[in-house]
């Protein structure tokens, strides 16, 4: 039993002829059962496997307890479930559903990685690995919709938008941005819209320091996306919509 285990019994009188007792004393309980659907979607898309393949393994083989794909899956699934802080790993390491998500036995499997291990993992990739991961994300999204649309699309709209992500404390690359009047990061995100559909699909996300210009890196992102989309959807018409912060003369000559 742990400090997070509820042992109280609840009675429901005057509802049924016989007393009904609900006990919350299951040791291997979890409140994240819906995450199984996330695992099924990831298995179908192959996203975490593709991202993990972009990372180099430079740790000493005899000291490895958690494989790269396990660490990546643990972190991605944790954030998808609302545990954005790696500190949550301390209480989720033995959660049966979270162990199942990384391919371990939910009862007898080894506990997941700790917060220090996840923090080292997050800070290990270099710029080239991060670039490969961003390309893997784009390739996964484009491949999915190429299959869905059978390789045919009349028009593809690309939306690029810098957005502020306020920070608190002394995070790396957090700077004051006078436009947003806060210390923040200024990530660039890209979305795709196919034909006249209403849905937008995230295809690119690049973390940037909070004091960069709105257009920083946008041309490189756009160039890579157009190359991949043109190959996947030959003959499609491309429309690019930009945030007001991207109004620069060089875009019109691009």
């Amino acid at each position: 039993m742990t400090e997070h285990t509820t042992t109280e019994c609840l009675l429901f009188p005057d509802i049924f002829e016989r007393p009904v007792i609900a006990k919350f004393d299951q040791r291997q309980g979890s409140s994240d059962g819906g995450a199984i659907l996330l695992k099924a979607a990831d298995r179908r898309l192959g996203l975490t496997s593709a991202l993990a393949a972009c990372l180099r393994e430079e740790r000493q083989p005899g000291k490895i307890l958690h494989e790269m794909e396990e660490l990546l899956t643990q972190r991605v699934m944790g954030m998808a479930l609302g545990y954005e802080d790696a500190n949550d790993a301390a209480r989720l390491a033995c959660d049966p559903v979270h162990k199942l998500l990384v391919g371990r036995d939910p009862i007898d499997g080894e506990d997941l990685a700790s917060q220090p291990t996840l923090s080292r993992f997050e800070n290990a990739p270099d710029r080239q690995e991060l670039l490969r991961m961003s390309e893997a994300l784009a390739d996964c999204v484009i491949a999915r919709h190429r299959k869905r649309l059978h390789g045919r699309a009349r028009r593809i709209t690309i939306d690029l938008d810098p957005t502020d992500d306020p920070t608190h404390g002394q995070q790396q690359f957090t700077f004051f941005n006078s436009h947003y009047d806060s210390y923040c990061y200024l990530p660039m995100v890209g979305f795709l819209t196919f034909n006249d559909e209403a849905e937008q699909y995230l295809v690119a996300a690049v973390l940037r320091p909070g004091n960069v210009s709105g257009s920083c890196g946008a041309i490189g992102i756009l160039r890579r996306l157009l190359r991949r989309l043109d190959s996947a959807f030959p003959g499609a018409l491309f429309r690019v919509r930009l945030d007001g912060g991207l109004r620069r003369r060089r875009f019109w000559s691009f």
Side-chain angles (χ1 to χ4, degrees):
M1 305 295 283
T2 70
E3 61 181 15
H4 302 294
T5 302
T6 302
T7 58
E8 296 180 359
C9 299
L10 301 180
L11 303 179
F12 302 91
D14 305 325
I15 298 180
F16 304 101
E17 294 182 357
R18 296 183 178 182
V20 177
I21 300 176
K23 293 185 177 181
F24 300 88
D25 57 356
Q26 173 63 36
R27 295 186 62 182
Q28 289 81 27
S30 176
S31 60
D32 293 318
I36 302 302
L37 298 177
L38 286 177
K39 180 63 176 180
D42 179 58
R43 182 176 298 172
R44 183 174 183 177
L45 296 174
L47 179 58
T48 54
S49 298
L51 294 175
C54 301
L55 301 173
R56 293 193 301 269
E57 178 60 88
E58 297 180 342
R59 297 174 295 173
Q60 298 180 25
K63 298 181 179 179
I64 295 177
L65 297 178
H66 311 281
E67 300 295 336
M68 298 293 284
E69 187 169 347
E70 291 178 334
L71 292 172
L72 180 67
T73 302
Q74 179 183 352
R75 197 69 186 99
V76 169
M77 292 297 178
M79 288 188 287
L81 292 169
Y83 304 107
E84 68 279 359
D85 196 329
N87 290 333
D88 293 312
R91 63 186 181 86
L92 296 174
C94 59
D95 186 285
V97 170
H98 286 256
K99 289 198 290 186
L100 187 64
L101 293 177
V102 301
R104 297 187 179 183
D105 187 281
I107 306 301
D108 300 322
E110 294 291 333
D111 287 351
L112 303 181
S114 63
Q115 178 270 320
T117 300
L118 290 178
S119 294
R120 288 192 296 269
F121 167 73
E122 288 184 333
N123 285 278
D126 57 23
R127 294 175 65 90
Q128 290 299 320
E129 290 173 297
L130 294 176
L131 175 60
R132 289 197 296 268
M133 292 177 73
S134 66
E135 292 176 338
L137 169 63
D139 290 338
C140 181
V141 174
I142 293 172
R144 172 176 177 254
H145 293 289
R146 184 178 187 276
K147 180 179 180 180
R148 179 175 68 88
L149 298 171
H150 305 288
R152 297 187 295 271
R154 300 188 310 275
R155 184 180 66 191
I156 302 175
T157 301
I158 304 173
D159 288 284
L160 291 182
D161 183 23
T163 181
D164 65 312
D165 182 12
T167 58
H168 309 278
Q170 301 297 321
Q171 293 97 320
Q172 291 176 301
F173 305 116
T174 177
F175 294 102
F176 185 79
N177 188 300
S178 59
H179 177 75
Y180 295 102
D181 194 29
S182 68
Y183 284 87
C184 63
Y185 294 124
L186 195 64
M188 175 75 72
V189 291
F191 296 87
L192 297 179
T193 305
F194 295 91
N195 301 321
D196 298 320
E197 297 176 351
E199 294 82 1
Q200 290 184 313
Y201 303 96
L202 178 69
V203 69
V206 179
L207 182 63
R208 306 180 305 171
N211 61 346
V212 299
S213 65
S215 61
C216 180
I219 290 181
I221 297 172
L222 187 58
R223 185 177 286 123
R224 291 185 178 90
L225 285 179
L226 286 173
R227 183 170 62 246
R228 285 170 163 75
L229 288 168
D230 186 56
S231 176
F233 298 93
L237 175 67
F238 297 104
R239 178 175 64 174
V240 179
R241 294 189 297 202
L242 305 173
D243 182 88
L246 300 175
R247 56 182 187 278
R248 296 295 177 91
R249 178 173 298 180
R250 63 172 178 257
F251 272 106
W252 309 121
S253 60
F254 169 64

